[in-house]
């Protein structure tokens, strides 16, 4: 579904990604783990078209999207739920969801999908006219996920969805991601909590200093001595999810 080959990118003259290659197959849930500053967010932003790679190739559904505009990438079926949620704080919950469907022209279906989001997140249903910035952290994360779903993605990129949430809310967000995946959406999950990400994913990639250091079946990475020493440690303390 998604094939990244030898991609390098960064910010200005600062190169962050160094010839990164990875693959996401249809209906997989893939974990991308690594330390802060390893390049995980940069990779998602490059896939989304927010950063243009300096070299390499990105293909989605066998179509080259390396230099494609972000809006066109969304229209092709990739949606991005960014780090720190980045909802529009002075827009209502309803308006934030409308923004998520800005590339669509089927207005009647958009309204139906907004109601589906409210069915999926009943906590938001009674707050549809409330400003996004006034929501709790957990509610803002639900809104960010709902907004990402409004484009009807085939592939959903999650960037640190558990960041700043309590353990109970982390469990809830994990169940939401698993539910979305069960419904047939392919997921690429960037997550600081490596234990959590590897427990719920099919395969995983470990990013180190802008490159892919390790890759494999998630259950095998959980037992890898380097992954245990470098990324797991006390991570189990932050989630009770199985």
């Amino acid at each position: 579904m998604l094939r990244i080959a030898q991609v390098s990118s960064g910010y200005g003259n600062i190169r962050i990604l160094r010839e990164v290659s990875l693959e996401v197959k249809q209906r997989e849930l893939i974990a991308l783990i690594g330390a802060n500053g390893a390049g995980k967010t940069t990779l998602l932003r490059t896939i989304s078209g927010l950063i243009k790679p300096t070299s390499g190739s990105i293909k989605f559904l066998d179509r080259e999207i390396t230099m494609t505009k972000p809006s066109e990438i969304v229209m092709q079926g990739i949606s991005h739920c960014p780090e720190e949620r980045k909802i529009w704080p002075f827009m209502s919950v309803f308006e934030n969801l409308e923004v998520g469907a800005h590339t669509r022209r089927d207005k009647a279906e958009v309204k139906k999908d907004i109601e589906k989001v409210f069915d999926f997140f009943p906590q938001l249903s009674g707050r549809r006219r409330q400003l996004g910035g006034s929501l709790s952290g957990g509610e803002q994360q639900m809104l960010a996920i709902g907004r990402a779903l409004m484009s009807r993605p085939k592939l959903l990129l999650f960037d640190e969805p558990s960041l700043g949430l309590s353990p109970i809310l982390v469990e809830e967000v994990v169940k939401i991601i698993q539910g979305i995946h069960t419904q047939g959406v392919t997921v690429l999950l960037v997550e600081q909590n490596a234990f959590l990400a590897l427990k719920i994913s099919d395969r995983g990639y470990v990013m180190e200093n802008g490159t892919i250091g390790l890759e494999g079946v998630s259950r095998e990475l959980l037992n890898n001595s380097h992954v245990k020493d470098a990324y797991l440690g006390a991570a189990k303390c932050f989630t009770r999810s199985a």
Side-chain angles (χ1 to χ4, degrees):
M1 179 180 241
L2 178 72
R3 189 182 297 272
I4 298 170
Q6 300 293 304
V7 165
S8 297
S9 72
Y11 304 90
N13 294 324
I14 302 174
R15 188 168 70 158
I16 305 296
L17 302 184
R18 302 172 185 275
E19 299 183 348
V20 170
S21 296
L22 63 80
E23 182 178 5
V24 180
K25 297 176 183 177
Q26 194 163 5
R27 292 183 177 270
E28 280 191 312
L29 199 167
I30 300 298
L32 179 62
I33 65 172
N36 284 333
K40 305 184 301 297
T41 292
T42 300
L43 179 58
L44 293 194
R45 289 173 61 84
T46 303
I47 295 169
S48 297
L50 300 172
I51 299 173
K52 301 303 179 187
T54 55
S55 62
S57 169
I58 303 173
K59 290 185 177 180
F60 179 65
L61 298 175
D62 294 324
R63 181 181 296 179
E64 187 77 35
I65 62 167
T66 308
M67 302 304 289
T68 303
K69 295 179 181 178
S71 59
E72 294 176 4
I73 289 175
V74 172
M75 292 175 70
Q76 289 185 34
I78 299 178
S79 188
H80 187 170
C81 190
E83 186 181 17
E84 296 180 344
R85 300 175 277 277
K86 292 184 172 61
I87 62 166
W88 297 97
F90 299 110
M91 296 175 68
S92 70
V93 168
F94 190 90
E95 289 168 336
N96 268 276
L97 295 177
E98 285 186 315
V99 168
H102 75 281
T103 60
R104 295 172 56 183
R105 298 294 178 264
D106 51 338
K107 294 183 179 180
E109 290 299 310
V110 167
K111 289 182 179 179
K112 290 180 182 179
D113 285 351
I114 289 176
E115 293 307 316
K116 286 181 182 178
V117 169
F118 287 138
D119 288 340
F120 200 66
F121 300 110
Q123 300 95 318
L124 299 179
S125 182
R127 295 174 168 80
R128 59 183 67 201
R129 298 301 174 190
Q130 189 171 328
L131 294 182
S134 67
L135 300 177
S136 68
E139 290 166 344
Q140 288 187 19
Q141 185 63 72
M142 292 174 195
L143 178 57
I145 295 172
R147 181 182 60 188
L149 289 172
M150 285 301 301
S151 64
R152 291 185 173 178
K154 299 179 180 72
L155 171 64
L156 187 45
L157 313 177
F158 283 100
D159 194 355
E160 304 284 6
S162 74
L163 186 67
L165 301 182
S166 69
I168 292 176
L169 286 175
V170 168
E171 290 185 22
E172 189 169 354
V173 168
V174 167
K175 290 177 182 177
I176 290 167
I177 293 171
Q178 289 176 309
I180 291 169
H181 178 243
T182 300
Q183 291 177 10
V185 179
T186 304
V187 173
L188 175 56
L189 171 65
V190 164
E191 179 54 60
Q192 191 69 27
N193 188 329
F195 179 78
L196 178 156
L198 293 175
K199 284 292 285 185
I200 68 171
S201 59
D202 302 307
R203 294 188 298 113
Y205 291 86
V206 181
M207 179 164 278
E208 298 177 331
N209 299 317
T211 65
I212 299 297
L214 285 171
E215 62 179 277
V217 176
S218 294
R219 63 177 178 272
E220 295 176 356
L221 290 176
L222 278 169
N223 293 315
N224 180 280
S225 58
H226 173 67
V227 173
K228 282 183 175 180
D229 293 342
Y231 303 109
L232 299 184
K236 296 182 183 180
C237 298
F238 294 104
T239 179
R240 295 174 294 182
S241 298

